[in-house]
Amino acid sequence: MKLRRLTLREIRMKLVTPFETSFGLTTARRILLFEADVDGVTGWGECVAGEGPFYSPETIDTAWQITEGFLWPILRGREFARAGDVWALLGPVRGHNMAKGGLEAALWDAEARQLGVPLWRHIGGVREEVACGVSIGIKPTLDELEATVERELAAGYQRIKIKIKPGNDVAPVARLREKFPKIRLMVDANSAYRGEDAPLLQSLEPYYLMMIEQPLGWDDLYSHAALQRLLQTPICLDECIHSEEHARAAIELGACRIINMKLGRVGGYTAARRIHDLCVAKQIPLWCGGMLESGIGRAHNIALSTLPGFSLPGDVTASKRYWEEDIIEPEVKVTPQGTIRVPTGPGIGFTPRVEAIEQRTVRKVVLE
Ligand code: OSB
Ligand code: MG
């Protein structure tokens, strides 16, 4: 295989509703898309880096620069046997997983299309339908939060996750538990707490949450291990798990009992599959996280979620929850049972709407 041409595009997309987390408010996304021409076959990938370095150190601008300045020069003119070899080729570049992950995903899509098989089958997926949960941002009032949860449950979603931050944690959880005693409920703090907040996090225990996602520092395994010893509720790590080595350390230290997997955060399918295999061997349940992706990233998340170890509902949802109009055809739809039927076509199984993508493009470079 040879990457003949790589097109980078920055598109702008306005969210249907603003999304608030402990690290900030997002009203519109700036998204870096990768269009890879591999031996004349086109594959698509999405870089999930944020607009600012607040979820992780990467941003769309660092990803663009690293891709153009370092990843592309490594792959340019290079012959490789399979998409699975690209992760090792990019190894000399340390970190920048979201840049690598988006690019590598485009190569996997192209490879699956070359072979004429669905990407999810190509990576070893086994599920024809994946289970969906939703991630709900911090809301201005508890009434608004409750109404949002009501609506998402009515749409069929199997698990509710709410974002929390100091001062906006126990009250929303208590309210939701009172109103919805039986639902699968969890919280995501995006690193908003410190070790000293253990008593506050312990006060969430009576609400039998499925898990508490990433309560402490974004790269702090030690403190999560100490906190997990104080909690019955499982800790799920998101931000902390940016490599296979960190996943192994987290599991061995007891820093978490569940892992949220994101293709971009770990650097693509090769790294994700290694972490997946480790979690299966160690009996750590996995689920697929989301990063407010456009349809292209969403399609990759669906493929990833078909791996056998993804035993819990992911943050993989319908296009219309985030976008007035998505950039793929068909849009991602969720069944009344809260599942997505995995597409059967080659590659990601959705068609990028190139014209709609071009309309939203504010920056573009063609590397060849
Ligand atoms: O922590 O999972 C997270 C969105 C942006 C950045 C980080 C996170 C999230 C979400 C949204 O929770 C998940 C989604 O795409 O629906
Ligand atoms: Mg998270």
Side-chain angles (χ1 to χ4, degrees), residues 19 21 23 26 29 48 55 133-137 161 163 188-190 213-214 238-239 260 262 265 287-293 298 301 315-317 321-322:
F19 191 83
T21 67
F23 60 80
T26 307
R29 298 285 339 274
V48 300
Y55 164 85
V134 283
S135 175
I136 298 174
K161 154 170 144 183
K163 295 290 192 179
D188 184 357
N190 288 109
E213 183 176 341
Q214 195 67 41
D238 173 355
E239 282 89 328
N260 165 333
K262 289 177 181 167
R265 201 192 59 230
W287 55 277
C288 182
M291 292 290 286
L292 312 178
E293 290 93 344
R298 224 159 267 279
N301 288 345
D315 283 344
V316 187
T317 61
R321 284 191 70 249
Y322 289 114

Short mmCIF file of all heavy atoms in Angstrom, two decimals, residues 19 21 23 26 29 48 55 133-137 161 163 188-190 213-214 238-239 260 262 265 287-293 298 301 315-317 321-322, ligand 1:
data_model
loop_
_atom_site.label_atom_id
_atom_site.label_comp_id
_atom_site.label_asym_id
_atom_site.label_seq_id
_atom_site.Cartn_x
_atom_site.Cartn_y
_atom_site.Cartn_z
N PHE A 19 -22.59 22.39 24.36
CA PHE A 19 -22.22 21.26 25.22
C PHE A 19 -21.26 21.76 26.28
O PHE A 19 -20.17 22.24 25.98
CB PHE A 19 -21.57 20.17 24.35
CG PHE A 19 -21.38 18.86 25.05
CD1 PHE A 19 -22.43 17.96 25.14
CD2 PHE A 19 -20.17 18.53 25.63
CE1 PHE A 19 -22.28 16.74 25.79
CE2 PHE A 19 -19.99 17.32 26.28
CZ PHE A 19 -21.05 16.41 26.36
N THR A 21 -18.89 21.09 29.65
CA THR A 21 -18.18 20.14 30.50
C THR A 21 -17.46 20.95 31.57
O THR A 21 -17.47 22.18 31.53
CB THR A 21 -17.12 19.36 29.70
OG1 THR A 21 -16.11 20.28 29.30
CG2 THR A 21 -17.69 18.70 28.47
N PHE A 23 -14.50 21.47 31.74
CA PHE A 23 -13.39 22.25 31.19
C PHE A 23 -13.83 23.32 30.20
O PHE A 23 -13.00 24.05 29.66
CB PHE A 23 -12.30 21.35 30.58
CG PHE A 23 -12.74 20.46 29.45
CD1 PHE A 23 -12.88 20.97 28.16
CD2 PHE A 23 -13.00 19.11 29.66
CE1 PHE A 23 -13.27 20.14 27.12
CE2 PHE A 23 -13.39 18.29 28.62
CZ PHE A 23 -13.52 18.80 27.34
N THR A 26 -18.71 24.27 24.57
CA THR A 26 -18.49 24.18 23.13
C THR A 26 -19.79 24.49 22.42
O THR A 26 -20.81 23.86 22.70
CB THR A 26 -18.02 22.76 22.74
OG1 THR A 26 -16.90 22.40 23.54
CG2 THR A 26 -17.62 22.68 21.27
N ARG A 29 -17.90 23.32 16.44
CA ARG A 29 -16.67 22.54 16.33
C ARG A 29 -15.84 22.99 15.14
O ARG A 29 -16.37 23.38 14.10
CB ARG A 29 -16.98 21.04 16.15
CG ARG A 29 -17.74 20.32 17.27
CD ARG A 29 -16.89 20.04 18.51
NE ARG A 29 -15.45 20.03 18.26
CZ ARG A 29 -14.73 18.99 17.85
NH1 ARG A 29 -15.29 17.84 17.66
NH2 ARG A 29 -13.42 19.09 17.66
N VAL A 48 -9.99 14.00 16.40
CA VAL A 48 -10.95 14.41 17.44
C VAL A 48 -10.40 15.48 18.38
O VAL A 48 -11.03 15.81 19.38
CB VAL A 48 -11.44 13.19 18.27
CG1 VAL A 48 -12.15 12.18 17.38
CG2 VAL A 48 -10.30 12.55 19.05
N TYR A 55 -9.13 19.26 27.02
CA TYR A 55 -9.42 17.84 27.30
C TYR A 55 -8.10 17.08 27.33
O TYR A 55 -7.85 16.27 28.22
CB TYR A 55 -10.36 17.27 26.22
CG TYR A 55 -10.41 15.76 26.19
CD1 TYR A 55 -11.26 15.05 27.03
CD2 TYR A 55 -9.57 15.04 25.32
CE1 TYR A 55 -11.27 13.66 27.02
CE2 TYR A 55 -9.59 13.66 25.31
CZ TYR A 55 -10.44 12.97 26.15
OH TYR A 55 -10.44 11.61 26.14
N GLY A 133 -25.48 4.80 24.65
CA GLY A 133 -25.83 5.66 25.77
C GLY A 133 -25.66 7.10 25.31
O GLY A 133 -25.19 7.35 24.22
N VAL A 134 -26.04 8.05 26.17
CA VAL A 134 -25.82 9.45 25.81
C VAL A 134 -24.98 10.15 26.87
O VAL A 134 -25.02 9.78 28.04
CB VAL A 134 -27.13 10.27 25.66
CG1 VAL A 134 -27.82 9.95 24.36
CG2 VAL A 134 -28.04 10.08 26.85
N SER A 135 -24.26 11.16 26.43
CA SER A 135 -23.51 12.03 27.33
C SER A 135 -24.23 13.38 27.33
O SER A 135 -24.40 13.99 26.29
CB SER A 135 -22.08 12.18 26.80
OG SER A 135 -21.38 13.12 27.59
N ILE A 136 -24.66 13.81 28.50
CA ILE A 136 -25.43 15.06 28.61
C ILE A 136 -24.58 16.10 29.32
O ILE A 136 -24.06 15.86 30.41
CB ILE A 136 -26.75 14.80 29.38
CG1 ILE A 136 -27.62 13.80 28.60
CG2 ILE A 136 -27.50 16.12 29.63
CD1 ILE A 136 -28.88 13.37 29.33
N GLY A 137 -24.42 17.24 28.66
CA GLY A 137 -23.61 18.33 29.21
C GLY A 137 -24.24 18.93 30.45
O GLY A 137 -25.41 18.66 30.78
N LYS A 161 -25.32 9.38 30.86
CA LYS A 161 -24.14 9.93 31.53
C LYS A 161 -24.34 11.43 31.63
O LYS A 161 -24.74 12.06 30.65
CB LYS A 161 -22.91 9.58 30.70
CG LYS A 161 -21.71 10.52 30.82
CD LYS A 161 -20.50 9.92 30.15
CE LYS A 161 -19.63 10.97 29.48
NZ LYS A 161 -18.49 10.38 28.74
N LYS A 163 -22.47 15.14 32.81
CA LYS A 163 -21.22 15.80 33.16
C LYS A 163 -21.40 16.46 34.52
O LYS A 163 -22.47 17.03 34.80
CB LYS A 163 -20.90 16.87 32.10
CG LYS A 163 -20.63 16.29 30.72
CD LYS A 163 -19.32 15.55 30.69
CE LYS A 163 -18.91 15.23 29.27
NZ LYS A 163 -17.61 14.52 29.23
N ASP A 188 -19.46 11.95 34.57
CA ASP A 188 -18.13 12.18 34.00
C ASP A 188 -17.65 13.55 34.47
O ASP A 188 -18.30 14.57 34.19
CB ASP A 188 -18.21 12.15 32.46
CG ASP A 188 -16.84 12.28 31.79
OD1 ASP A 188 -15.83 12.45 32.51
OD2 ASP A 188 -16.80 12.22 30.54
N ALA A 189 -16.52 13.56 35.20
CA ALA A 189 -16.04 14.82 35.80
C ALA A 189 -14.96 15.49 34.96
O ALA A 189 -14.58 16.62 35.24
CB ALA A 189 -15.50 14.54 37.20
N ASN A 190 -14.44 14.80 33.95
CA ASN A 190 -13.36 15.37 33.13
C ASN A 190 -12.27 16.03 34.00
O ASN A 190 -11.88 17.18 33.78
CB ASN A 190 -13.90 16.38 32.10
CG ASN A 190 -14.66 15.69 30.97
OD1 ASN A 190 -15.88 15.80 30.88
ND2 ASN A 190 -13.95 14.94 30.14
N GLU A 213 -16.62 8.58 35.86
CA GLU A 213 -15.59 8.68 34.83
C GLU A 213 -14.63 9.82 35.14
O GLU A 213 -15.04 10.95 35.43
CB GLU A 213 -16.29 8.92 33.47
CG GLU A 213 -15.34 8.97 32.28
CD GLU A 213 -16.10 9.10 30.95
OE1 GLU A 213 -17.31 8.79 30.90
OE2 GLU A 213 -15.48 9.52 29.96
N GLN A 214 -13.35 9.50 35.07
CA GLN A 214 -12.24 10.46 35.16
C GLN A 214 -12.46 11.57 36.20
O GLN A 214 -12.49 12.75 35.84
CB GLN A 214 -12.00 11.08 33.78
CG GLN A 214 -10.67 11.82 33.65
CD GLN A 214 -9.45 10.92 33.71
OE1 GLN A 214 -9.42 9.83 33.15
NE2 GLN A 214 -8.41 11.37 34.39
N ASP A 238 -10.83 7.79 31.32
CA ASP A 238 -10.92 8.29 29.94
C ASP A 238 -9.58 8.97 29.63
O ASP A 238 -8.64 8.33 29.12
CB ASP A 238 -12.13 9.25 29.85
CG ASP A 238 -12.24 9.98 28.52
OD1 ASP A 238 -11.36 9.85 27.67
OD2 ASP A 238 -13.22 10.73 28.33
N GLU A 239 -9.43 10.25 30.02
CA GLU A 239 -8.24 11.04 29.71
C GLU A 239 -6.92 10.32 30.01
O GLU A 239 -5.94 10.46 29.27
CB GLU A 239 -8.28 12.37 30.50
CG GLU A 239 -9.18 13.44 29.93
CD GLU A 239 -10.62 13.38 30.46
OE1 GLU A 239 -11.10 12.25 30.76
OE2 GLU A 239 -11.26 14.43 30.56
N ASN A 260 -12.95 3.69 29.21
CA ASN A 260 -13.57 4.35 28.08
C ASN A 260 -12.52 4.41 26.98
O ASN A 260 -11.43 4.94 27.18
CB ASN A 260 -14.00 5.77 28.53
CG ASN A 260 -14.33 6.70 27.37
OD1 ASN A 260 -13.82 6.56 26.26
ND2 ASN A 260 -15.15 7.70 27.63
N LYS A 262 -11.24 5.63 23.27
CA LYS A 262 -11.44 6.59 22.18
C LYS A 262 -10.30 6.38 21.20
O LYS A 262 -9.12 6.42 21.57
CB LYS A 262 -11.43 8.02 22.70
CG LYS A 262 -12.65 8.38 23.53
CD LYS A 262 -12.59 9.78 24.08
CE LYS A 262 -13.83 10.07 24.91
NZ LYS A 262 -13.68 11.31 25.72
N ARG A 265 -7.75 9.29 21.18
CA ARG A 265 -6.93 9.43 22.39
C ARG A 265 -5.79 8.41 22.44
O ARG A 265 -4.73 8.69 22.99
CB ARG A 265 -7.83 9.28 23.62
CG ARG A 265 -7.28 9.87 24.90
CD ARG A 265 -8.11 9.42 26.08
NE ARG A 265 -8.11 7.97 26.17
CZ ARG A 265 -9.19 7.19 26.30
NH1 ARG A 265 -10.38 7.72 26.42
NH2 ARG A 265 -9.07 5.88 26.33
N TRP A 287 -15.99 0.48 26.89
CA TRP A 287 -17.04 1.09 26.07
C TRP A 287 -16.41 2.19 25.24
O TRP A 287 -15.31 2.66 25.53
CB TRP A 287 -18.21 1.57 26.91
CG TRP A 287 -17.91 2.52 28.03
CD1 TRP A 287 -17.48 2.17 29.29
CD2 TRP A 287 -18.01 3.94 28.02
NE1 TRP A 287 -17.33 3.30 30.06
CE2 TRP A 287 -17.65 4.40 29.31
CE3 TRP A 287 -18.40 4.88 27.06
CZ2 TRP A 287 -17.64 5.76 29.65
CZ3 TRP A 287 -18.40 6.22 27.40
CH2 TRP A 287 -18.03 6.64 28.68
N CYS A 288 -17.10 2.56 24.18
CA CYS A 288 -16.54 3.53 23.24
C CYS A 288 -17.01 4.94 23.59
O CYS A 288 -18.21 5.20 23.65
CB CYS A 288 -16.98 3.18 21.82
SG CYS A 288 -16.28 4.28 20.57
N GLY A 289 -16.06 5.82 23.83
CA GLY A 289 -16.38 7.21 24.13
C GLY A 289 -16.63 8.01 22.87
O GLY A 289 -16.45 7.51 21.76
N GLY A 290 -17.02 9.26 23.05
CA GLY A 290 -17.25 10.15 21.91
C GLY A 290 -16.58 11.48 22.14
O GLY A 290 -16.23 11.82 23.28
N MET A 291 -16.37 12.24 21.07
CA MET A 291 -15.71 13.54 21.15
C MET A 291 -16.46 14.56 20.29
O MET A 291 -15.84 15.35 19.60
CB MET A 291 -14.26 13.41 20.68
CG MET A 291 -13.38 12.58 21.60
SD MET A 291 -13.04 13.40 23.17
CE MET A 291 -11.87 14.64 22.64
N LEU A 292 -17.79 14.51 20.32
CA LEU A 292 -18.60 15.43 19.52
C LEU A 292 -18.19 15.36 18.05
O LEU A 292 -18.01 16.38 17.39
CB LEU A 292 -18.47 16.87 20.04
CG LEU A 292 -18.63 17.09 21.55
CD1 LEU A 292 -18.41 18.57 21.90
CD2 LEU A 292 -19.98 16.64 22.06
N GLU A 293 -18.05 14.14 17.55
CA GLU A 293 -17.59 13.93 16.19
C GLU A 293 -18.65 14.23 15.13
O GLU A 293 -19.85 14.07 15.38
CB GLU A 293 -17.15 12.46 15.98
CG GLU A 293 -15.90 12.03 16.69
CD GLU A 293 -16.16 11.42 18.06
OE1 GLU A 293 -17.28 11.58 18.60
OE2 GLU A 293 -15.24 10.76 18.58
N ARG A 298 -17.93 9.48 13.92
CA ARG A 298 -19.03 8.68 14.45
C ARG A 298 -19.03 7.28 13.80
O ARG A 298 -19.19 6.26 14.46
CB ARG A 298 -20.34 9.40 14.11
CG ARG A 298 -21.39 9.50 15.16
CD ARG A 298 -22.36 10.65 14.84
NE ARG A 298 -21.86 11.83 15.54
CZ ARG A 298 -22.07 12.07 16.83
NH1 ARG A 298 -22.85 11.27 17.53
NH2 ARG A 298 -21.53 13.10 17.42
N ASN A 301 -16.37 5.26 15.23
CA ASN A 301 -16.72 4.81 16.58
C ASN A 301 -17.66 3.60 16.54
O ASN A 301 -17.58 2.71 17.39
CB ASN A 301 -17.38 5.95 17.37
CG ASN A 301 -16.38 7.03 17.75
OD1 ASN A 301 -15.17 6.81 17.68
ND2 ASN A 301 -16.89 8.19 18.15
N ASP A 315 -20.80 6.12 24.18
CA ASP A 315 -21.31 7.47 23.87
C ASP A 315 -21.37 7.63 22.36
O ASP A 315 -20.82 8.56 21.78
CB ASP A 315 -20.35 8.55 24.43
CG ASP A 315 -20.48 8.74 25.93
OD1 ASP A 315 -21.49 8.30 26.51
OD2 ASP A 315 -19.58 9.36 26.51
N VAL A 316 -22.03 6.71 21.70
CA VAL A 316 -22.12 6.72 20.24
C VAL A 316 -23.60 6.90 19.91
O VAL A 316 -24.40 6.04 20.24
CB VAL A 316 -21.59 5.40 19.64
CG1 VAL A 316 -21.52 5.49 18.14
CG2 VAL A 316 -20.23 5.07 20.22
N THR A 317 -23.91 8.05 19.33
CA THR A 317 -25.33 8.43 19.23
C THR A 317 -25.71 8.90 17.84
O THR A 317 -24.87 9.02 16.96
CB THR A 317 -25.64 9.53 20.26
OG1 THR A 317 -24.84 10.69 19.97
CG2 THR A 317 -25.35 9.07 21.68
N ARG A 321 -28.52 14.34 17.25
CA ARG A 321 -28.31 14.88 18.60
C ARG A 321 -27.33 16.05 18.58
O ARG A 321 -27.32 16.89 19.46
CB ARG A 321 -27.79 13.82 19.55
CG ARG A 321 -28.83 12.83 20.00
CD ARG A 321 -28.33 11.96 21.14
NE ARG A 321 -28.17 12.68 22.38
CZ ARG A 321 -27.01 12.96 22.96
NH1 ARG A 321 -25.88 12.58 22.41
NH2 ARG A 321 -26.98 13.63 24.09
N TYR A 322 -26.43 16.05 17.57
CA TYR A 322 -25.42 17.10 17.52
C TYR A 322 -25.52 18.02 16.31
O TYR A 322 -25.12 19.17 16.39
CB TYR A 322 -24.01 16.46 17.57
CG TYR A 322 -23.70 15.88 18.92
CD1 TYR A 322 -23.52 14.51 19.12
CD2 TYR A 322 -23.61 16.71 20.04
CE1 TYR A 322 -23.25 13.99 20.38
CE2 TYR A 322 -23.35 16.21 21.30
CZ TYR A 322 -23.16 14.85 21.46
OH TYR A 322 -22.91 14.34 22.72
O1 OSB B 1 -15.08 13.19 28.31
O2 OSB B 1 -16.20 11.85 27.15
C1 OSB B 1 -15.75 12.97 27.32
C2 OSB B 1 -17.06 15.40 24.65
C3 OSB B 1 -15.92 16.14 24.41
C4 OSB B 1 -14.78 15.88 25.13
C5 OSB B 1 -14.76 14.86 26.07
C6 OSB B 1 -15.88 14.10 26.32
C7 OSB B 1 -17.06 14.39 25.61
C8 OSB B 1 -18.33 13.70 25.82
C9 OSB B 1 -19.30 13.72 24.67
O3 OSB B 1 -18.65 13.19 26.87
C10 OSB B 1 -19.46 12.39 24.05
C11 OSB B 1 -20.18 12.46 22.73
O4 OSB B 1 -19.54 12.67 21.67
O5 OSB B 1 -21.40 12.29 22.74
#
